[in-house]
Amino acid sequence: KETIMNLVGWMIINWRGVCTEGDYIQVQNYMGYVVSIGPMYFKVYETKRLDQHHATGRTLRIPNGLLINNPVLTITPETSLMQYQLTFALGFDADVAMVLAKTQSIIQEVIQAHYADHPNYTEEALAEKNKIFAKMINLKPMVTAKISAEKEKSLMVLTEFYAYPVDSDELEKNFWAKVLETKLVRGI
């Protein structure tokens, strides 16, 4: 029975294009980058998050039959935009309006510099590729503040933006470098 389920799963993978080599995939508690797809199982380099630099070093062989009855998350890292969040705490004595405006300026500058020559990081390119998805997202980063549930007497500044997974680490590094450079937040 398992052999038949795995062969049917393999046919579904190939027929429906569920995933291809190089895609990030998550099925049940398994996640990682697809290395190869065979008739009985597909091989995945396990990761703890959507980033090739966070591989665990383990290789998983996941039975194809698992794809038949389970939800599957598949992301092509070079072409799929994902939402990312960066947060930091702020004391109530801070000039919140200034910090929010400056944070908005920093994340906008970082993203514009990174994607300046990227033809697919535009509203038009998104609409051309997927009209429904393009209506659901806004490429302009959002910065908000909310009272922290964990830390007394502090606000959390939340920065949300869309990026390609292959770029997320670099964008985050550049954002924090700019935050520190501008001395936006004391004590980080």
Side-chain angles (χ1 to χ4, degrees):
K1 185 178 174 181
E2 271 188 46
T3 302
I4 292 170
M5 292 291 282
N6 288 334
L7 287 171
V8 169
W10 180 61
M11 290 188 312
I12 289 172
I13 290 170
N14 289 301
W15 174 54
R16 298 292 308 247
V18 174
C19 62
T20 59
E21 291 177 6
D23 284 354
Y24 175 86
I25 190 167
Q26 184 173 349
V27 182
Q28 288 185 340
N29 293 329
Y30 305 111
M31 62 183 115
Y33 285 87
V34 177
V35 179
S36 63
I37 302 169
M40 301 306 283
Y41 61 86
F42 57 99
K43 192 161 78 171
V44 171
Y45 288 147
E46 184 185 50
T47 63
K48 289 296 177 195
R49 63 178 246 207
L50 180 62
D51 185 348
Q52 293 169 335
H53 301 293
H54 291 93
T56 64
R58 295 188 291 205
T59 301
L60 306 174
R61 286 180 172 79
I62 302 172
N64 294 334
L66 210 55
L67 299 179
I68 295 173
N69 296 318
N70 291 290
V72 179
L73 169 69
T74 305
I75 299 166
T76 304
E78 292 80 22
T79 60
S80 297
L81 279 174
M82 299 284 297
Q83 185 182 50
Y84 292 92
Q85 297 180 345
L86 303 171
T87 60
F88 58 89
L90 196 60
F92 280 115
D93 60 339
D95 182 349
V96 177
M98 183 278 300
V99 170
L100 292 177
K102 189 64 180 165
T103 303
Q104 180 73 40
S105 173
I106 289 171
I107 191 63
Q108 190 74 38
E109 179 185 327
V110 166
I111 287 174
Q112 284 177 346
H114 188 83
Y115 288 120
D117 297 326
H118 198 292
N120 294 324
Y121 195 83
T122 65
E123 302 284 343
E124 298 79 25
L126 281 176
E128 202 173 290
K129 189 175 177 185
N130 187 330
K131 290 179 185 173
I132 295 170
F133 183 62
K135 290 178 185 177
M136 295 170 61
I137 71 167
N138 183 350
L139 291 180
K140 183 179 179 191
M142 271 185 26
V143 178
T144 56
K146 65 180 182 177
I147 296 175
S148 174
E150 294 133 16
K151 295 183 178 181
E152 264 187 47
K153 298 182 182 177
S154 70
L155 292 171
M156 294 304 295
V157 176
L158 173 65
T159 305
E160 297 176 301
F161 62 97
Y162 284 91
Y164 294 101
V166 295
D167 301 327
S168 64
D169 279 351
E170 186 176 343
L171 288 168
E172 184 175 347
K173 181 183 82 174
N174 293 343
F175 172 79
W176 291 120
K178 286 272 190 200
V179 166
L180 293 173
E181 175 185 305
T182 59
K183 298 179 182 162
L184 181 62
V185 181
R186 295 182 309 251
I188 314 192

